[in-house]
Amino acid sequence: MVPGYGLLGKAILIVLALWWCKEIIQRLPKDLKEICGESDWTTKGVIVLFWGLTGVIVMLLWRFGSALVRPILDYL
């Protein structure tokens, strides 16, 4: 893999995805209170949308990590 702008872009995306997941997971108790409480449907919809997006990001990070680790484990 030759270092370049594409590799830098992927590295930045990975860091941003990890940061996003950290921030959203820290909001879990507050979000659960909002969903179970008396908040309006718009707020609940946005919370569900954020958690759905976080689920997609986690799946993509998992696929990337496994694709990165699998050749290393095959070599051993």
Side-chain angles (χ1 to χ4, degrees):
M1 191 180 297
V2 178
Y5 292 116
L7 184 61
L8 179 63
K10 289 177 185 177
I12 289 171
L13 283 176
I14 291 170
V15 169
L16 289 175
L18 290 170
W19 174 75
W20 171 270
C21 291
K22 177 187 130 331
E23 292 294 323
I24 293 296
I25 289 172
Q26 286 178 346
R27 292 176 44 110
L28 180 62
K30 180 181 170 245
D31 287 346
L32 287 175
K33 286 180 187 175
E34 286 279 334
I35 288 179
C36 296
E38 296 285 327
S39 61
D40 61 344
W41 286 102
T42 305
T43 304
K44 291 179 181 182
V46 170
I47 291 170
V48 169
L49 178 73
F50 279 177
W51 277 98
L53 180 62
T54 302
V56 170
I57 290 171
V58 166
M59 287 189 313
L60 291 173
L61 283 172
W62 184 266
R63 284 184 58 201
F64 176 77
S66 65
L68 192 64
V69 171
R70 189 176 303 131
I72 295 170
L73 292 178
D74 288 342
Y75 181 74
L76 297 175

